[in-house]
Amino acid sequence: MHVPVSFEFTVIKMRFRCIYSLALLVVVCNISAQCEFQTLAHLKPQANDKTQGRAVVELLKRLLGNRSREFIVSVNRTLSNDSLDVCELRSAKNNRILATGSTGVAVASGIYNYLKYFCNCHVSWSGNQLNIPCPLPQITGLLRINTQHRFRYYQNVCTQSYSTVWWDWPRWQREIDWMALNGINLPLAFTGQEALWQEMYLSLGLNQTEIDHFFTGPAFLAWNRMGNLFQWGGPLPQSWHVKQLYLQFKILDRMRSFGMLPVLPAFSGIVPQGIARLFPKANLTKLPPWSHFNCSYSCSYTLEPHDPLFHQIGSMFLSQLVKQFGTDHVYNTDTFNEMTPASSDPASLSAVSHAVFATMTSVDPQAIWLMQGWLFVHDAAFWKPAQIQALLHGVPIGRMIVLDLFAESMPAFSFTKSFYGQPFIWCMLHNFGGNSGLFGTVESLNSGPFEALAFPNSTLVGLGLAPEGIEQNPVVYELMSELAWRKEPVNLAKWVSLYAARRYGSTHENLTAAWKLLFGSVYNCTVPHYKNHNHSPLVHRPSLRMTTEVWYQRADLYEAWRLLYQAARPLMAQETFRYDLVDVTRQALQLLTTDYYREIRDAFQAQKLPELLTAGGVLVYDLFPELERLLSSDGHFLLGTWLERARSLALDEVEAQLYDMNARNQITLWGPEGNILDYASKEWGGLMEDYYSQRWSLFVNTLVECLDKGRPFRQDAFNQAVFQVEKGFVFNSRKYPSKPQGDTYDIVSRIFLKYYPNALKRLK
């Protein structure tokens, strides 16, 4: 059959067009996928709108009881067309409030905004103030609350050990409610992972003894996961795995029901020593000791990223993780947490991050690596621009999110050119070790996120809360959470005045004045690169060379104390006020401890025994017992609560003793020999009497004996003696009260009348 040339040409053109169109479609799809990854638009809530709406309704029932019926809740993801959360509130019939948001988190945080600024209410770790007006205040027109930050991140890998380690489900439920109310949509979810690691390592051929040698005890798992420690405080009982796995399923289900994106763990290369037995040809490196530990509990083994076993273990673990927990495509792991890499060669560093990410994408092609940027500020001598860029660029741009972990004091985005193109989250670290003590950097918090947003070619995608420990200084966390929904810095004086009114449900002028003083002093540290470890001599092993400086005017703290005390009597029924009155009084006594320490030190060095006996006697026999009584009067400041929670997770007395030792050691010796002594110090009733006071009593008695016998004070000899006191506390088996004792107002009154005039004299 003869085919006309024109027809052949037409067919060729049609085929070319089809091929071209198909190729163009593939290119467009690839570009679209790449753009989606670079904008992180593929990260979306799993739960449908109806499920998220139900989750908020249940939250409001838990929080408000019958008053929750006055809120009409709905979730409509189409309310936002750019993945940025928004909530719209308006008044409805019968004095009800209609709240519609793009996610469950958006609705919950929008309602909390309404409760704060229309109803003068407050929710915090240290109590709620929910005296809601009846009927609910009207909203004129439409109230639209939105954020310019795609993500609001929460937790630090250390929070899992310093704060949440002993939590049961009711406590986790309250925390997830708090997250939703404060707009958190990207929380860490690390609970229960050891059960999966154990299952995977057993399937590879390790025996139980080798696994038990690898895992630390519960209170130290954060550093086991990062490769810093092994075995210390262990072994982990099998019942621990079962209970934590059960908890994780409930945690993930609840987080996802609000539209949150839980961040799951991934493989960094750290492996048990038993891997060397199973795979004698594996390319393993033994890491140097971490912190003040030796290789008895440190010097972990890490697989080289080019070893095929690296990919095998990483993908096996993640496959099991996704199978058990599902995924929202965001994974956290940290390759060099407080550990210097073996090589500074950029190609080597790039290979490491490439290998880590490859294990993620082999299981989840949509994986995003969330990495803590702490290493860049912790070891600035090693991490120069070439090394930082190499590590970051081992992962495709847009497939990693970096947590600028300590941005309020040591931001890394500014010296890394916005992390060389990788998206980042500006985080407030704020607290180290879960230490007690008033602290904040409110001016830095108020300006820093906006400066990061305005930074040239900024890749900022969110704000975060990354404290090592929580349940302290609630005002700082409320401010930081709220800034994620602000378009510009707040007026701090006005903001804290409103905070005081809603926290206590009172407009007493003393409360506003007190909080303005606190915000201008103890909560406004401006010392460059200052780390909020509680440096007070009170919570550190005594010596003649202790830090005595503070970053604020002590007179402001004492005046705030006076103002709160004078307004106290009618407010003592309010839990949030009682907490703050105890906390500010505790801070005042902490300052006075420093004053008495100076007198003790100076008297000893001047060889004035009477003055030494006077100052030491007041400190050990009056101030410390008063502080013990103060802390014991409020349920938020009890050692017994921490220990009771730990023991409650045990199946038998052997487990109970293991958990008790973990709980006590972490907040005191932090290691077998005081390796990270007092890093996680707490000012709690019970701990004050049997730990801190005992050390100071020994110190004063030793100095008196030295003067009396004409001997010099030897710190090394004292350290050996006081270590027995410290170790004795860890193993004393004493049961401490988990319920408050005494009348807080009476105790504060006695302390104030006795010590406030004394404090003012010392200012002169």
Side-chain angles (χ1 to χ4, degrees):
M1 178 179 174
H2 177 71
V3 180
V5 174
S6 60
F7 181 76
E8 283 185 329
F9 183 69
T10 301
V11 170
I12 291 170
K13 284 201 296 184
M14 289 174 65
R15 285 175 178 168
F16 177 78
R17 285 172 183 163
C18 287
I19 293 169
Y20 177 77
S21 298
L22 186 61
L24 187 62
L25 181 62
V26 170
V27 170
V28 169
C29 287
N30 285 341
I31 291 173
S32 176
Q34 289 170 6
C35 289
E36 189 173 68
F37 278 128
Q38 288 179 357
T39 60
L40 305 169
H42 70 292
L43 301 179
K44 299 173 183 176
Q46 289 188 21
N48 61 37
D49 292 355
K50 188 176 180 180
T51 299
Q52 293 181 56
R54 271 201 309 268
V56 178
V57 169
E58 293 302 313
L59 182 162
L60 293 177
K61 286 180 182 177
R62 290 189 293 273
L63 186 69
L64 306 178
N66 290 335
R67 297 298 302 271
S68 65
R69 298 171 184 169
E70 298 171 42
F71 291 89
I72 305 168
V73 170
S74 70
V75 173
N76 180 0
R77 65 186 62 203
T78 64
L79 201 61
S80 171
N81 57 13
D82 56 6
S83 298
L84 298 178
D85 270 339
V86 60
C87 181
E88 295 181 346
L89 299 100
R90 55 172 63 86
S91 289
K93 293 180 180 178
N94 301 318
N95 297 311
R96 300 172 83 189
I97 296 296
L98 173 62
T100 305
S102 52
T103 63
V105 168
V107 178
S109 57
I111 290 174
Y112 185 42
N113 185 283
Y114 171 81
L115 289 172
K116 287 194 292 188
Y117 288 104
F118 284 75
C119 302
N120 208 37
C121 290
H122 176 72
V123 177
S124 78
W125 294 313
S126 48
N128 303 333
Q129 191 287 110
L130 293 169
N131 186 17
I132 303 174
C134 188
L136 288 176
Q138 292 280 309
I139 297 174
T140 303
L142 176 71
L143 175 62
R144 184 179 172 89
I145 301 166
N146 59 352
T147 178
Q148 52 191 336
H149 299 288
R150 173 72 175 85
F151 302 109
R152 283 86 58 197
Y153 169 79
Y154 181 49
Q155 287 202 10
N156 180 303
V157 292
C158 298
T159 322
Q160 307 285 316
S161 289
Y162 285 134
S163 295
T164 71
V165 56
W166 312 121
W167 285 5
D168 56 11
W169 170 241
R171 181 62 189 87
W172 265 111
Q173 179 171 250
R174 290 202 308 276
E175 192 69 11
I176 298 169
D177 285 351
W178 180 91
M179 293 182 204
L181 292 168
N182 285 279
I184 303 300
N185 67 351
L186 191 67
L188 275 188
F190 271 24
T191 303
Q193 62 175 287
E194 281 68 34
L196 305 189
W197 284 115
Q198 175 176 266
E199 184 177 339
M200 187 208 69
Y201 283 129
L202 287 172
S203 72
L204 277 176
L206 266 69
N207 58 51
Q208 192 63 52
T209 301
E210 289 169 324
I211 292 172
D212 288 345
H213 181 81
F214 178 61
F215 289 139
T216 62
F220 304 96
L221 282 173
W223 301 276
N224 179 246
R225 294 164 180 171
M226 292 184 285
N228 305 129
L229 282 181
F230 59 84
Q231 195 178 12
W232 171 245
L236 277 182
Q238 292 306 306
S239 65
W240 173 267
H241 296 307
V242 174
K243 289 186 175 184
Q244 294 299 297
L245 205 55
Y246 168 78
L247 258 184
Q248 175 74 335
F249 286 126
K250 293 178 75 74
I251 289 166
L252 290 173
D253 182 65
R254 183 60 56 82
M255 286 177 171
R256 287 170 176 152
S257 74
F258 284 115
M260 297 177 189
L261 306 174
V263 179
L264 296 174
F267 179 59
S268 66
I270 302 297
V271 292
Q273 185 178 353
I275 288 291
R277 176 188 62 81
L278 274 180
F279 303 95
K281 294 184 179 180
N283 199 329
L284 291 168
T285 300
K286 190 174 184 179
L287 297 171
W290 173 72
S291 193
H292 300 289
F293 282 83
N294 59 32
C295 288
S296 297
Y297 297 107
S298 188
C299 307
S300 299
Y301 286 85
T302 182
L303 267 171
E304 291 300 313
H306 59 265
D307 192 308
L309 191 58
F310 186 103
H311 187 84
Q312 180 185 347
I313 291 177
S315 58
M316 281 180 68
F317 172 71
L318 208 63
S319 295
Q320 180 71 1
L321 184 89
V322 171
K323 178 182 176 182
Q324 293 290 336
F325 297 156
T327 185
D328 297 86
H329 310 298
V330 186
Y331 307 95
N332 167 257
T333 190
D334 294 293
T335 47
F336 303 113
N337 181 67
E338 299 186 359
M339 296 182 294
T340 303
S343 170
S344 62
D345 176 39
S348 173
L349 295 169
S350 186
V352 172
S353 57
H354 178 80
V356 171
F357 186 62
T359 66
M360 299 179 190
T361 54
S362 68
V363 176
D364 181 0
Q366 299 185 70
I368 298 293
W369 179 3
L370 182 80
M371 186 188 81
Q372 292 191 138
W374 174 247
L375 69 172
F376 303 139
V377 297
H378 179 265
D379 190 2
F382 177 89
W383 291 102
K384 302 299 184 184
Q387 285 70 35
I388 297 174
Q389 188 166 357
L391 188 73
L392 296 178
H393 283 186
V395 177
I397 295 295
R399 302 298 298 274
M400 172 187 275
I401 302 174
V402 184
L403 299 175
D404 199 349
L405 207 68
F406 196 20
E408 79 271 31
S409 292
M410 299 171 68
F413 75 88
S414 54
F415 65 79
T416 59
K417 299 179 181 177
S418 208
F419 293 98
Y420 299 107
Q422 293 288 19
F424 77 97
I425 294 175
W426 194 101
C427 293
M428 174 191 78
L429 202 162
H430 179 257
N431 179 276
F432 290 83
N435 293 159
S436 307
L438 305 184
F439 180 81
T441 55
V442 293
E443 285 187 6
S444 175
L445 296 180
N446 197 32
S447 60
F450 302 99
E451 291 169 358
L453 200 59
F455 190 75
N457 301 312
S458 178
T459 53
L460 181 72
V461 292
L463 302 186
L465 309 174
E468 287 191 350
I470 57 173
E471 298 179 308
Q472 39 74 31
N473 293 295
V475 65
V476 176
Y477 295 86
E478 180 140 323
L479 173 63
M480 187 64 207
S481 298
E482 196 172 304
L483 287 171
W485 301 82
R486 295 277 188 162
K487 299 295 187 295
E488 59 186 12
V490 302
N491 179 317
L492 288 172
K494 182 179 179 181
W495 187 90
V496 81
S497 297
L498 294 172
Y499 173 85
R502 65 176 179 265
R503 182 158 169 83
Y504 309 134
S506 169
T507 55
H508 193 297
E509 61 183 10
N510 276 30
L511 306 177
T512 299
W515 272 101
K516 283 183 176 179
L517 282 169
L518 293 172
F519 245 41
S521 56
V522 69
Y523 280 115
N524 191 32
C525 179
T526 57
V527 179
H529 305 162
Y530 192 88
K531 294 181 181 179
N532 178 28
H533 295 291
N534 189 338
H535 298 292
S536 169
L538 171 62
V539 292
H540 288 276
R541 180 185 281 176
S543 77
L544 293 174
R545 297 182 177 180
M546 303 189 81
T547 300
T548 59
E549 294 79 20
V550 293
W551 62 92
Y552 57 96
Q553 294 296 319
R554 294 181 300 155
D556 291 339
L557 188 283
Y558 291 141
E559 176 62 7
W561 182 28
R562 182 189 70 81
L563 290 166
L564 289 176
Y565 170 66
Q566 290 186 344
R569 192 180 289 278
L571 293 169
M572 291 306 294
Q574 180 58 50
E575 182 181 8
T576 49
F577 181 83
R578 286 198 312 276
Y579 176 93
D580 288 348
L581 183 63
V582 169
D583 210 15
V584 172
T585 304
R586 177 207 52 73
Q587 190 79 12
L589 293 183
Q590 181 177 289
L591 287 177
L592 284 165
T593 297
T594 301
D595 288 340
Y596 283 111
Y597 161 69
R598 286 198 195 98
E599 291 181 11
I600 291 167
R601 179 196 62 196
D602 294 348
F604 175 78
Q605 291 173 341
Q607 299 187 29
K608 296 180 177 179
L609 185 58
E611 286 86 343
L612 172 57
L613 288 169
T614 299
V618 171
L619 185 66
V620 172
Y621 297 112
D622 192 83
L623 191 149
F624 285 166
E626 290 285 29
L627 182 51
E628 168 71 18
R629 284 187 282 271
L630 171 74
L631 297 169
S632 297
S633 74
D634 188 282
H636 297 282
F637 297 89
L638 297 178
L639 169 65
T641 303
W642 172 253
L643 298 181
E644 187 177 90
R645 283 178 175 172
R647 295 181 69 92
S648 72
L649 298 182
L651 285 186
D652 55 36
E653 184 57 26
V654 173
E655 288 185 11
Q657 289 178 12
L658 177 71
Y659 296 164
D660 187 84
M661 186 282 287
N662 269 254
R664 290 169 182 254
N665 182 274
Q666 187 209 83
I667 59 176
T668 54
L669 291 173
W670 214 123
E673 299 168 343
N675 307 65
I676 316 181
L677 183 67
D678 299 319
Y679 182 95
S681 65
K682 307 290 189 295
E683 291 177 37
W684 286 342
L687 196 60
M688 192 67 240
E689 180 178 51
D690 279 1
Y691 183 71
Y692 299 123
S693 184
Q694 297 303 315
R695 292 201 302 196
W696 278 96
S697 178
L698 180 61
F699 180 65
V700 172
N701 288 337
T702 302
L703 294 181
V704 169
E705 186 178 333
C706 287
L707 281 189
D708 191 47
K709 296 184 177 180
R711 292 199 313 249
F713 173 75
R714 298 193 181 279
Q715 187 69 48
D716 55 348
F718 174 76
N719 288 348
Q720 291 178 26
V722 79
F723 176 70
Q724 299 308 314
V725 173
E726 295 159 344
K727 192 174 180 180
F729 165 78
V730 174
F731 294 103
N732 73 13
S733 300
R734 178 180 170 186
K735 182 172 171 49
Y736 293 89
S738 57
K739 303 294 182 188
Q741 299 176 330
D743 183 280
T744 300
Y745 182 77
D746 289 347
I747 294 167
V748 171
S749 293
R750 186 174 62 247
I751 293 172
F752 182 85
L753 294 173
K754 188 190 304 184
Y755 282 105
Y756 178 74
N758 186 302
L760 294 187
K761 287 179 183 177
R762 291 168 181 276
L763 293 174
K764 297 176 181 177

